[in-house]
Amino acid sequence: MIPGIGTLTQDTLWCFSQVKGTIEIGTTEADIISTVEFNHTGELLATGDKGGRVVIFQREQESKNQVHRRGEYNVYSTFQSHEPEFDYLKSLEIEEKINKIRWLPQQNAAYFLLSTNDKTVKLWKVSERDKRPEGYNLKDEEGRLRDPATITTLRVPVLRPMDLMVEATPRRVFANAHTYHINSISVNSDYETYMSADDLRINLWNFEITNQSFNIVDIKPANMEELTEVITAAEFHPHHCNTFVYSSSKGTIRLCDMRASALCDRHTKFFEEPEDPSNRSFFSEIISSISDVKFSHSGRYIMTRDYLTVKVWDLNMENRPIETYQVHDYLRSKLCSLYENDCIFDKFECVWNGSDSVIMTGSYNNFFRMFDRNTKRDVTLEASRENSKPRAILKPRKVCVGGKRRKDEISVDSLDFSKKILHTAWHPSENIIAVAATNNLYIFQDKVN
Amino acid sequence: MEVQKEAQRIMTLSVWKMYHSRMQRGGLRLHRSLQLSLVMRSARELYLSAKVEALDSEVSLPPALPSDPRLHPPREAESTAETSTPDGEHPSPEPMDTQEAPTAEETSAYCGPRPAKVSRKRRSSSLSDGGDAGLVPSKKARLEEKEEEEGASSEVADRLQPPPAQAEGAFPNLARVLQRRFSGLLNCSPAAPPTAPPACEAKPACRPADSMLNVLVRAVVAF
């Protein structure tokens, strides 16, 4: 079976693989995972948390002895990426929470990733050191300078093996370019530039230059009273280095071509679906806000996530999406309560699988949903400690929307809205998914026959 | 009536959320503020339309005593406040311009052009309970804030009637501010804004109709 392809519910059974994180009842807010990202090969999995830390897991080499178990992910490196800062000019604290992590493609032995909080983007180099020089001529083994009078022979240091040490060093810091809160970063396919987007502006950076950036989108009105929408997410096209998209709080997506002009305020394409009058409600405007936008790996489609749905758009058709999937439509009648408990402002992300045939997004009660675009089947799974036996097959869950509740179903009123899955990631080529549930990271794999 | 109550409740809730959002780490979030203001606008429109319908149906009925004194906040106090506030207005475009206007934008995202009178004094944080961290200090805003801390619901309730009674409730000041702002618009009077407009809305007398949202947004975001 080609990984990532196949009818979702018939051929693919998802099994629990690993869970990272503690099981404490009182979760420290700093441990809440705020972003998850596989690198381009899937060998590394990075998570960022609210405490500003980045934890990188590395997949162990598959052993021939255990063919039934794919390589597990173990901690490779942990480092403090961002610290809390204070903007004295505005008397504002800048949170250290990692909003996004994006990997750069590997070009040498070291790994590079971008991590960002609300204001500052950093380029980190993660490298291994497994040798160390020994036998210095002028220094002793502890590094202290020898007395020159005692040196009678010449010694050339030699490299000797040492225990593997993984170092993370900040190579670049891209600061002071954003007035508003950064919500997205995206590495360009030229691997020389990347963009960072905040509520009103998008900046283009060169990896080598930290004291300058180009502003390529600016939707700030001259009079802030006229502000009606903000930028919510942005991403570069996977293959065309001149093309990017950004989504707005009004449910629209704009595709821009950087060749058209230096400032891409005028879009090349504008994607918007007319509002369905029958769905109009008090909170219509805020639930239409797009929380995430992702290009398909092919570059032909974009996927957007708003509060209740996931939509797939064809770049060649602007007037409506080609596919709409209901994530948790049973919440439509609960919007008032969700407004009261602030859940209506949750920003869910969405991901494609490697072959663009399946899409995945999170929901409440630690549920996450997958939609097979070919068969139109969907499945709801749960990330919970109860289903955490090794290789335990995940049982599909179902939410009862009314009437008689079956034995295995859960009613809408029983859903735990404090357990939400906002961040998920899909391995670039295999059926391995990482699901962040508050402070725990679950890794699921498809069942290997 | 239920619709009115629900709309009032939503508005009060929204105001509380906006106030509370200033306290959180990281400062005021523009997207969140925008979403809250959109809900406020929807609630207000719903409330007003329900109110108009109720009034229409009451035309034939004898006028009833207001059951809630909050529905009639004092106009006099408001106009006094309005005339007194501009003198103490604070944040100006100039310091914000030198800062490349991030303070201005973040703190008064929906505020209009500042009045000419400028003061560079910065209000002490103690006066604002630390909640103004993200906003440009303004004496006018502070007064508005005190006003805005009162129930929106009580205010919004009575746009169409001049309110004499003292506002009470969670945010009586906000209620007063909202009423002061909206009454003119509701009376379809472009010149309704008081002669001494508050710092955050030095708007020209003629205002486009769709600035109602802006006014509402300013009123709740100003603090």
Side-chain angles (χ1 to χ4, degrees), chain A residues 90-93 95-96 118 179-181 220 224-225 249 282 285 289 336 339-340 342 345, chain B residues 9 14 17 25-26 29 31 35-36 41 43 102 105-106 109-110 112 133 203 214 218:
Chain A
K90 294 184 240 177
S91 296
L92 277 180
E93 190 174 5
E95 276 189 284
E96 66 277 26
D118 284 337
T179 304
Y180 301 96
H181 297 95
K220 179 172 177 285
M224 281 297 277
E225 294 172 6
S249 55
F282 199 62
E285 282 164 314
S289 175
C336 199
Y339 180 72
E340 288 173 23
D342 279 351
F345 302 111
Chain B
R9 191 178 70 82
S14 303
K17 283 182 188 295
R25 290 184 74 210
R29 303 249 160 202
H31 188 197
Q35 288 179 312
L36 290 171
R41 177 182 68 167
E105 289 153 2
E106 286 220 323
Y110 306 98
K203 291 175 90 71
N214 302 327
R218 271 204 312 286

mmCIF file of all heavy atoms in Angstrom, chain A residues 90-93 95-96 118 179-181 220 224-225 249 282 285 289 336 339-340 342 345, chain B residues 9 14 17 25-26 29 31 35-36 41 43 102 105-106 109-110 112 133 203 214 218:
data_model
loop_
_atom_site.group_PDB
_atom_site.id
_atom_site.type_symbol
_atom_site.label_atom_id
_atom_site.label_comp_id
_atom_site.label_asym_id
_atom_site.label_seq_id
_atom_site.Cartn_x
_atom_site.Cartn_y
_atom_site.Cartn_z
ATOM 1 N N LYS A 90 6.143 50.555 25.153
ATOM 2 C CA LYS A 90 4.698 50.399 25.160
ATOM 3 C C LYS A 90 4.193 49.784 26.452
ATOM 4 O O LYS A 90 3.002 49.554 26.597
ATOM 5 C CB LYS A 90 4.270 49.500 23.997
ATOM 6 C CG LYS A 90 4.510 50.089 22.633
ATOM 7 C CD LYS A 90 3.967 49.157 21.575
ATOM 8 C CE LYS A 90 5.073 48.708 20.654
ATOM 9 N NZ LYS A 90 4.621 47.747 19.660
ATOM 10 N N SER A 91 5.107 49.514 27.370
ATOM 11 C CA SER A 91 4.723 48.846 28.617
ATOM 12 C C SER A 91 3.956 47.573 28.345
ATOM 13 O O SER A 91 2.866 47.342 28.862
ATOM 14 C CB SER A 91 3.855 49.783 29.477
ATOM 15 O OG SER A 91 4.595 50.894 29.874
ATOM 16 N N LEU A 92 4.507 46.762 27.473
ATOM 17 C CA LEU A 92 3.839 45.525 27.090
ATOM 18 C C LEU A 92 4.780 44.361 27.294
ATOM 19 O O LEU A 92 5.958 44.447 26.941
ATOM 20 C CB LEU A 92 3.474 45.558 25.605
ATOM 21 C CG LEU A 92 2.202 46.259 25.196
ATOM 22 C CD1 LEU A 92 2.044 46.158 23.701
ATOM 23 C CD2 LEU A 92 1.000 45.666 25.897
ATOM 24 N N GLU A 93 4.224 43.293 27.813
ATOM 25 C CA GLU A 93 5.040 42.103 27.915
ATOM 26 C C GLU A 93 4.919 41.329 26.608
ATOM 27 O O GLU A 93 3.836 41.234 26.025
ATOM 28 C CB GLU A 93 4.552 41.241 29.075
ATOM 29 C CG GLU A 93 5.512 40.121 29.384
ATOM 30 C CD GLU A 93 5.121 39.345 30.625
ATOM 31 O OE1 GLU A 93 4.059 39.629 31.188
ATOM 32 O OE2 GLU A 93 5.887 38.448 30.997
ATOM 33 N N GLU A 95 5.114 37.804 24.984
ATOM 34 C CA GLU A 95 5.074 36.403 25.389
ATOM 35 C C GLU A 95 6.161 35.599 24.714
ATOM 36 O O GLU A 95 6.518 35.855 23.566
ATOM 37 C CB GLU A 95 3.723 35.801 24.986
ATOM 38 C CG GLU A 95 2.617 36.049 25.959
ATOM 39 C CD GLU A 95 1.394 35.223 25.586
ATOM 40 O OE1 GLU A 95 0.710 35.617 24.631
ATOM 41 O OE2 GLU A 95 1.166 34.206 26.248
ATOM 42 N N GLU A 96 6.628 34.584 25.423
ATOM 43 C CA GLU A 96 7.673 33.727 24.863
ATOM 44 C C GLU A 96 7.088 32.540 24.101
ATOM 45 O O GLU A 96 7.820 31.744 23.533
ATOM 46 C CB GLU A 96 8.586 33.214 25.987
ATOM 47 C CG GLU A 96 7.915 32.280 26.990
ATOM 48 C CD GLU A 96 7.155 33.007 28.080
ATOM 49 O OE1 GLU A 96 6.719 34.155 27.848
ATOM 50 O OE2 GLU A 96 6.997 32.419 29.172
ATOM 51 N N ASP A 118 5.631 36.190 19.270
ATOM 52 C CA ASP A 118 4.794 37.260 18.736
ATOM 53 C C ASP A 118 5.576 38.319 17.969
ATOM 54 O O ASP A 118 4.998 39.030 17.140
ATOM 55 C CB ASP A 118 4.035 37.956 19.885
ATOM 56 C CG ASP A 118 2.866 37.129 20.385
ATOM 57 O OD1 ASP A 118 2.374 36.277 19.615
ATOM 58 O OD2 ASP A 118 2.450 37.327 21.533
ATOM 59 N N THR A 179 4.978 45.268 14.231
ATOM 60 C CA THR A 179 4.243 46.038 15.230
ATOM 61 C C THR A 179 3.181 45.177 15.881
ATOM 62 O O THR A 179 2.892 45.319 17.068
ATOM 63 C CB THR A 179 3.557 47.238 14.545
ATOM 64 O OG1 THR A 179 4.541 48.000 13.874
ATOM 65 C CG2 THR A 179 2.841 48.102 15.555
ATOM 66 N N TYR A 180 2.578 44.296 15.117
ATOM 67 C CA TYR A 180 1.500 43.460 15.627
ATOM 68 C C TYR A 180 2.027 42.057 15.881
ATOM 69 O O TYR A 180 3.213 41.789 15.732
ATOM 70 C CB TYR A 180 0.324 43.482 14.639
ATOM 71 C CG TYR A 180 -0.189 44.880 14.440
ATOM 72 C CD1 TYR A 180 0.237 45.649 13.364
ATOM 73 C CD2 TYR A 180 -1.046 45.467 15.366
ATOM 74 C CE1 TYR A 180 -0.187 46.962 13.218
ATOM 75 C CE2 TYR A 180 -1.480 46.763 15.217
ATOM 76 C CZ TYR A 180 -1.043 47.509 14.149
ATOM 77 O OH TYR A 180 -1.461 48.800 14.010
ATOM 78 N N HIS A 181 1.146 41.165 16.240
ATOM 79 C CA HIS A 181 1.577 39.839 16.664
ATOM 80 C C HIS A 181 1.762 38.913 15.468
ATOM 81 O O HIS A 181 0.847 38.723 14.667
ATOM 82 C CB HIS A 181 0.556 39.242 17.637
ATOM 83 C CG HIS A 181 0.414 40.026 18.893
ATOM 84 N ND1 HIS A 181 -0.557 40.977 19.079
ATOM 85 C CD2 HIS A 181 1.141 40.026 20.036
ATOM 86 C CE1 HIS A 181 -0.430 41.512 20.286
ATOM 87 N NE2 HIS A 181 0.592 40.951 20.885
ATOM 88 N N LYS A 220 -2.913 47.768 6.591
ATOM 89 C CA LYS A 220 -3.295 48.708 7.642
ATOM 90 C C LYS A 220 -3.953 49.915 6.989
ATOM 91 O O LYS A 220 -3.367 50.549 6.125
ATOM 92 C CB LYS A 220 -2.055 49.132 8.424
ATOM 93 C CG LYS A 220 -2.319 50.123 9.527
ATOM 94 C CD LYS A 220 -1.058 50.315 10.345
ATOM 95 C CE LYS A 220 -1.272 51.356 11.423
ATOM 96 N NZ LYS A 220 -1.293 52.720 10.919
ATOM 97 N N MET A 224 -7.348 53.904 11.390
ATOM 98 C CA MET A 224 -7.593 52.603 12.015
ATOM 99 C C MET A 224 -9.058 52.374 12.352
ATOM 100 O O MET A 224 -9.472 51.244 12.600
ATOM 101 C CB MET A 224 -6.744 52.459 13.283
ATOM 102 C CG MET A 224 -5.300 52.107 13.006
ATOM 103 S SD MET A 224 -5.101 50.508 12.213
ATOM 104 C CE MET A 224 -5.161 49.407 13.613
ATOM 105 N N GLU A 225 -9.826 53.412 12.326
ATOM 106 C CA GLU A 225 -11.256 53.213 12.560
ATOM 107 C C GLU A 225 -11.886 52.397 11.448
ATOM 108 O O GLU A 225 -12.938 51.800 11.615
ATOM 109 C CB GLU A 225 -11.958 54.569 12.622
ATOM 110 C CG GLU A 225 -11.559 55.420 13.783
ATOM 111 C CD GLU A 225 -12.150 56.799 13.633
ATOM 112 O OE1 GLU A 225 -12.940 57.005 12.699
ATOM 113 O OE2 GLU A 225 -11.816 57.669 14.439
ATOM 114 N N SER A 249 -9.498 37.500 8.378
ATOM 115 C CA SER A 249 -10.514 37.250 9.395
ATOM 116 C C SER A 249 -11.921 37.307 8.816
ATOM 117 O O SER A 249 -12.886 36.997 9.506
ATOM 118 C CB SER A 249 -10.384 38.285 10.512
ATOM 119 O OG SER A 249 -10.436 39.576 9.963
ATOM 120 N N PHE A 282 -25.781 35.298 14.661
ATOM 121 C CA PHE A 282 -25.181 36.357 15.433
ATOM 122 C C PHE A 282 -23.658 36.350 15.348
ATOM 123 O O PHE A 282 -23.014 37.383 15.327
ATOM 124 C CB PHE A 282 -25.633 36.131 16.874
ATOM 125 C CG PHE A 282 -25.505 37.301 17.735
ATOM 126 C CD1 PHE A 282 -26.201 38.449 17.471
ATOM 127 C CD2 PHE A 282 -24.668 37.275 18.815
ATOM 128 C CE1 PHE A 282 -26.081 39.545 18.271
ATOM 129 C CE2 PHE A 282 -24.543 38.368 19.623
ATOM 130 C CZ PHE A 282 -25.243 39.500 19.353
ATOM 131 N N GLU A 285 -19.904 36.286 11.566
ATOM 132 C CA GLU A 285 -18.687 36.959 11.129
ATOM 133 C C GLU A 285 -17.458 36.358 11.767
ATOM 134 O O GLU A 285 -16.420 36.208 11.127
ATOM 135 C CB GLU A 285 -18.784 38.451 11.442
ATOM 136 C CG GLU A 285 -19.653 39.199 10.453
ATOM 137 C CD GLU A 285 -20.055 40.569 10.987
ATOM 138 O OE1 GLU A 285 -20.456 40.653 12.165
ATOM 139 O OE2 GLU A 285 -19.980 41.538 10.223
ATOM 140 N N SER A 289 -13.883 33.521 10.218
ATOM 141 C CA SER A 289 -12.463 33.882 10.212
ATOM 142 C C SER A 289 -11.623 32.637 9.967
ATOM 143 O O SER A 289 -11.807 31.610 10.621
ATOM 144 C CB SER A 289 -12.101 34.501 11.563
ATOM 145 O OG SER A 289 -10.728 34.749 11.648
ATOM 146 N N CYS A 336 -23.224 30.564 21.157
ATOM 147 C CA CYS A 336 -23.305 31.542 22.242
ATOM 148 C C CYS A 336 -22.509 31.064 23.454
ATOM 149 O O CYS A 336 -21.756 31.826 24.059
ATOM 150 C CB CYS A 336 -24.767 31.790 22.591
ATOM 151 S SG CYS A 336 -24.998 33.313 23.500
ATOM 152 N N TYR A 339 -18.932 31.313 22.811
ATOM 153 C CA TYR A 339 -18.459 32.690 22.919
ATOM 154 C C TYR A 339 -18.201 33.029 24.376
ATOM 155 O O TYR A 339 -17.233 33.691 24.716
ATOM 156 C CB TYR A 339 -19.493 33.640 22.312
ATOM 157 C CG TYR A 339 -19.101 35.097 22.370
ATOM 158 C CD1 TYR A 339 -18.095 35.602 21.551
ATOM 159 C CD2 TYR A 339 -19.732 35.978 23.239
ATOM 160 C CE1 TYR A 339 -17.732 36.936 21.598
ATOM 161 C CE2 TYR A 339 -19.377 37.310 23.290
ATOM 162 C CZ TYR A 339 -18.377 37.790 22.464
ATOM 163 O OH TYR A 339 -18.020 39.117 22.525
ATOM 164 N N GLU A 340 -19.079 32.556 25.236
ATOM 165 C CA GLU A 340 -18.918 32.853 26.659
ATOM 166 C C GLU A 340 -17.649 32.251 27.229
ATOM 167 O O GLU A 340 -16.960 32.877 28.027
ATOM 168 C CB GLU A 340 -20.129 32.336 27.439
ATOM 169 C CG GLU A 340 -21.386 33.148 27.215
ATOM 170 C CD GLU A 340 -22.591 32.514 27.867
ATOM 171 O OE1 GLU A 340 -22.391 31.733 28.814
ATOM 172 O OE2 GLU A 340 -23.717 32.779 27.418
ATOM 173 N N ASP A 342 -15.025 31.516 25.532
ATOM 174 C CA ASP A 342 -13.903 31.911 24.669
ATOM 175 C C ASP A 342 -13.469 30.846 23.673
ATOM 176 O O ASP A 342 -12.515 31.046 22.934
ATOM 177 C CB ASP A 342 -12.680 32.340 25.486
ATOM 178 C CG ASP A 342 -12.793 33.768 25.976
ATOM 179 O OD1 ASP A 342 -13.733 34.469 25.538
ATOM 180 O OD2 ASP A 342 -11.959 34.179 26.790
ATOM 181 N N PHE A 345 -12.988 31.506 19.866
ATOM 182 C CA PHE A 345 -11.792 32.166 19.345
ATOM 183 C C PHE A 345 -10.635 31.202 19.114
ATOM 184 O O PHE A 345 -9.555 31.631 18.712
ATOM 185 C CB PHE A 345 -11.326 33.267 20.306
ATOM 186 C CG PHE A 345 -12.363 34.309 20.571
ATOM 187 C CD1 PHE A 345 -12.964 34.421 21.810
ATOM 188 C CD2 PHE A 345 -12.746 35.184 19.562
ATOM 189 C CE1 PHE A 345 -13.934 35.387 22.049
ATOM 190 C CE2 PHE A 345 -13.710 36.156 19.792
ATOM 191 C CZ PHE A 345 -14.311 36.248 21.038
ATOM 192 N N ARG B 9 -27.035 41.127 27.244
ATOM 193 C CA ARG B 9 -26.101 40.231 27.928
ATOM 194 C C ARG B 9 -24.850 40.036 27.091
ATOM 195 O O ARG B 9 -23.724 40.071 27.593
ATOM 196 C CB ARG B 9 -26.790 38.896 28.190
ATOM 197 C CG ARG B 9 -26.043 37.979 29.116
ATOM 198 C CD ARG B 9 -26.819 36.694 29.348
ATOM 199 N NE ARG B 9 -26.855 35.862 28.160
ATOM 200 C CZ ARG B 9 -25.875 35.033 27.795
ATOM 201 N NH1 ARG B 9 -24.779 34.970 28.520
ATOM 202 N NH2 ARG B 9 -25.982 34.302 26.728
ATOM 203 N N SER B 14 -19.259 41.121 26.071
ATOM 204 C CA SER B 14 -18.224 41.550 25.134
ATOM 205 C C SER B 14 -17.377 42.658 25.737
ATOM 206 O O SER B 14 -16.154 42.663 25.582
ATOM 207 C CB SER B 14 -18.857 42.034 23.833
ATOM 208 O OG SER B 14 -19.650 41.033 23.257
ATOM 209 N N LYS B 17 -15.069 41.189 28.163
ATOM 210 C CA LYS B 17 -13.980 40.476 27.487
ATOM 211 C C LYS B 17 -12.945 41.458 26.960
ATOM 212 O O LYS B 17 -11.741 41.206 27.012
ATOM 213 C CB LYS B 17 -14.523 39.627 26.346
ATOM 214 C CG LYS B 17 -15.196 38.344 26.789
ATOM 215 C CD LYS B 17 -15.655 37.538 25.579
ATOM 216 C CE LYS B 17 -16.487 36.358 25.989
ATOM 217 N NZ LYS B 17 -15.743 35.361 26.756
ATOM 218 N N ARG B 25 -1.279 38.720 29.121
ATOM 219 C CA ARG B 25 0.106 38.829 28.682
ATOM 220 C C ARG B 25 0.148 39.003 27.180
ATOM 221 O O ARG B 25 -0.623 38.400 26.454
ATOM 222 C CB ARG B 25 0.882 37.569 29.063
ATOM 223 C CG ARG B 25 1.121 37.411 30.535
ATOM 224 C CD ARG B 25 1.978 36.189 30.775
ATOM 225 N NE ARG B 25 3.342 36.443 30.387
ATOM 226 C CZ ARG B 25 4.183 35.526 29.933
ATOM 227 N NH1 ARG B 25 3.777 34.287 29.782
ATOM 228 N NH2 ARG B 25 5.418 35.831 29.621
ATOM 229 N N GLY B 26 1.083 39.770 26.750
ATOM 230 C CA GLY B 26 1.215 39.959 25.318
ATOM 231 C C GLY B 26 0.468 41.163 24.804
ATOM 232 O O GLY B 26 0.635 41.544 23.660
ATOM 233 N N ARG B 29 -4.765 42.123 21.673
ATOM 234 C CA ARG B 29 -4.660 41.395 20.410
ATOM 235 C C ARG B 29 -5.612 42.029 19.413
ATOM 236 O O ARG B 29 -6.819 42.096 19.670
ATOM 237 C CB ARG B 29 -5.043 39.935 20.630
ATOM 238 C CG ARG B 29 -4.202 39.273 21.693
ATOM 239 C CD ARG B 29 -3.280 38.240 21.106
ATOM 240 N NE ARG B 29 -2.181 37.940 22.009
ATOM 241 C CZ ARG B 29 -1.044 37.424 21.631
ATOM 242 N NH1 ARG B 29 -0.841 37.134 20.369
ATOM 243 N NH2 ARG B 29 -0.093 37.176 22.503
ATOM 244 N N HIS B 31 -6.724 41.083 16.466
ATOM 245 C CA HIS B 31 -7.740 40.199 15.898
ATOM 246 C C HIS B 31 -8.845 39.960 16.907
ATOM 247 O O HIS B 31 -10.032 40.030 16.587
ATOM 248 C CB HIS B 31 -7.091 38.874 15.495
ATOM 249 C CG HIS B 31 -8.008 37.978 14.727
ATOM 250 N ND1 HIS B 31 -7.786 36.629 14.555
ATOM 251 C CD2 HIS B 31 -9.168 38.219 14.081
ATOM 252 C CE1 HIS B 31 -8.751 36.099 13.847
ATOM 253 N NE2 HIS B 31 -9.615 37.039 13.543
ATOM 254 N N GLN B 35 -12.811 40.958 16.590
ATOM 255 C CA GLN B 35 -13.899 39.994 16.686
ATOM 256 C C GLN B 35 -14.894 40.405 17.764
ATOM 257 O O GLN B 35 -16.108 40.302 17.577
ATOM 258 C CB GLN B 35 -13.335 38.606 16.981
ATOM 259 C CG GLN B 35 -12.610 37.990 15.793
ATOM 260 C CD GLN B 35 -12.039 36.640 16.114
ATOM 261 O OE1 GLN B 35 -11.382 36.454 17.129
ATOM 262 N NE2 GLN B 35 -12.277 35.675 15.238
ATOM 263 N N LEU B 36 -14.378 40.861 18.889
ATOM 264 C CA LEU B 36 -15.281 41.284 19.957
ATOM 265 C C LEU B 36 -16.117 42.477 19.516
ATOM 266 O O LEU B 36 -17.314 42.561 19.811
ATOM 267 C CB LEU B 36 -14.477 41.633 21.213
ATOM 268 C CG LEU B 36 -13.837 40.455 21.935
ATOM 269 C CD1 LEU B 36 -12.891 40.931 23.019
ATOM 270 C CD2 LEU B 36 -14.897 39.553 22.536
ATOM 271 N N ARG B 41 -21.233 44.827 17.719
ATOM 272 C CA ARG B 41 -22.056 45.507 16.720
ATOM 273 C C ARG B 41 -23.303 44.695 16.424
ATOM 274 O O ARG B 41 -24.406 45.222 16.348
ATOM 275 C CB ARG B 41 -21.263 45.720 15.438
ATOM 276 C CG ARG B 41 -22.096 46.366 14.330
ATOM 277 C CD ARG B 41 -21.318 46.532 13.070
ATOM 278 N NE ARG B 41 -21.015 45.248 12.464
ATOM 279 C CZ ARG B 41 -20.562 45.100 11.230
ATOM 280 N NH1 ARG B 41 -20.343 46.152 10.489
ATOM 281 N NH2 ARG B 41 -20.291 43.926 10.737
ATOM 282 N N ALA B 43 -24.767 42.532 18.321
ATOM 283 C CA ALA B 43 -25.647 42.572 19.480
ATOM 284 C C ALA B 43 -26.379 43.896 19.544
ATOM 285 O O ALA B 43 -27.578 43.972 19.847
ATOM 286 C CB ALA B 43 -24.843 42.347 20.760
ATOM 287 N N PRO B 102 3.301 52.349 16.719
ATOM 288 C CA PRO B 102 2.788 51.068 17.180
ATOM 289 C C PRO B 102 1.944 51.250 18.416
ATOM 290 O O PRO B 102 0.931 50.604 18.580
ATOM 291 C CB PRO B 102 4.039 50.273 17.515
ATOM 292 C CG PRO B 102 5.101 51.278 17.696
ATOM 293 C CD PRO B 102 4.714 52.484 16.910
ATOM 294 N N GLU B 105 -1.391 52.472 17.452
ATOM 295 C CA GLU B 105 -2.196 51.480 16.763
ATOM 296 C C GLU B 105 -2.685 50.430 17.721
ATOM 297 O O GLU B 105 -3.834 50.074 17.735
ATOM 298 C CB GLU B 105 -1.362 50.810 15.668
ATOM 299 C CG GLU B 105 -1.102 51.751 14.515
ATOM 300 C CD GLU B 105 0.188 51.394 13.805
ATOM 301 O OE1 GLU B 105 0.820 50.420 14.186
ATOM 302 O OE2 GLU B 105 0.528 52.135 12.898
ATOM 303 N N GLU B 106 -1.798 49.976 18.528
ATOM 304 C CA GLU B 106 -2.204 48.880 19.393
ATOM 305 C C GLU B 106 -3.135 49.359 20.467
ATOM 306 O O GLU B 106 -4.050 48.680 20.855
ATOM 307 C CB GLU B 106 -0.981 48.262 20.039
ATOM 308 C CG GLU B 106 -0.191 47.445 19.066
ATOM 309 C CD GLU B 106 0.314 46.193 19.737
ATOM 310 O OE1 GLU B 106 0.672 46.272 20.899
ATOM 311 O OE2 GLU B 106 0.349 45.167 19.078
ATOM 312 N N ALA B 109 -6.651 51.113 18.640
ATOM 313 C CA ALA B 109 -6.701 50.600 17.273
ATOM 314 C C ALA B 109 -7.796 51.257 16.474
ATOM 315 O O ALA B 109 -7.729 51.405 15.281
ATOM 316 C CB ALA B 109 -6.896 49.092 17.311
ATOM 317 N N TYR B 110 -8.847 51.636 17.144
ATOM 318 C CA TYR B 110 -9.954 52.184 16.402
ATOM 319 C C TYR B 110 -10.151 53.655 16.666
ATOM 320 O O TYR B 110 -11.200 54.202 16.428
ATOM 321 C CB TYR B 110 -11.228 51.430 16.755
ATOM 322 C CG TYR B 110 -11.057 49.963 16.551
ATOM 323 C CD1 TYR B 110 -10.767 49.132 17.626
ATOM 324 C CD2 TYR B 110 -11.128 49.421 15.291
ATOM 325 C CE1 TYR B 110 -10.591 47.786 17.426
ATOM 326 C CE2 TYR B 110 -10.948 48.076 15.105
ATOM 327 C CZ TYR B 110 -10.684 47.262 16.165
ATOM 328 O OH TYR B 110 -10.514 45.935 15.975
ATOM 329 N N GLY B 112 -9.691 57.609 16.246
ATOM 330 C CA GLY B 112 -9.518 58.509 15.115
ATOM 331 C C GLY B 112 -8.357 59.435 15.331
ATOM 332 O O GLY B 112 -7.577 59.287 16.264
ATOM 333 N N ALA B 133 -1.886 48.842 29.896
ATOM 334 C CA ALA B 133 -0.516 48.655 29.428
ATOM 335 C C ALA B 133 -0.407 48.825 27.941
ATOM 336 O O ALA B 133 0.561 49.352 27.430
ATOM 337 C CB ALA B 133 -0.032 47.266 29.847
ATOM 338 N N LYS B 203 -13.666 63.297 15.390
ATOM 339 C CA LYS B 203 -14.168 63.106 14.044
ATOM 340 C C LYS B 203 -14.808 64.404 13.582
ATOM 341 O O LYS B 203 -15.307 65.173 14.364
ATOM 342 C CB LYS B 203 -15.237 62.023 14.047
ATOM 343 C CG LYS B 203 -14.657 60.642 14.325
ATOM 344 C CD LYS B 203 -15.778 59.658 14.435
ATOM 345 C CE LYS B 203 -16.132 59.026 13.127
ATOM 346 N NZ LYS B 203 -15.159 58.107 12.647
ATOM 347 N N ASN B 214 -17.596 51.950 13.773
ATOM 348 C CA ASN B 214 -16.364 52.550 14.270
ATOM 349 C C ASN B 214 -16.578 53.202 15.607
ATOM 350 O O ASN B 214 -15.763 53.116 16.495
ATOM 351 C CB ASN B 214 -15.859 53.580 13.258
ATOM 352 C CG ASN B 214 -15.625 52.932 11.919
ATOM 353 O OD1 ASN B 214 -15.249 51.784 11.854
ATOM 354 N ND2 ASN B 214 -15.883 53.669 10.868
ATOM 355 N N ARG B 218 -14.785 52.080 18.777
ATOM 356 C CA ARG B 218 -13.911 52.990 19.516
ATOM 357 C C ARG B 218 -14.314 53.043 20.964
ATOM 358 O O ARG B 218 -13.493 53.039 21.854
ATOM 359 C CB ARG B 218 -13.982 54.392 18.929
ATOM 360 C CG ARG B 218 -13.005 54.641 17.834
ATOM 361 C CD ARG B 218 -12.747 56.109 17.728
ATOM 362 N NE ARG B 218 -14.005 56.860 17.713
ATOM 363 C CZ ARG B 218 -14.817 56.911 16.669
ATOM 364 N NH1 ARG B 218 -14.507 56.298 15.561
ATOM 365 N NH2 ARG B 218 -15.946 57.584 16.742
#
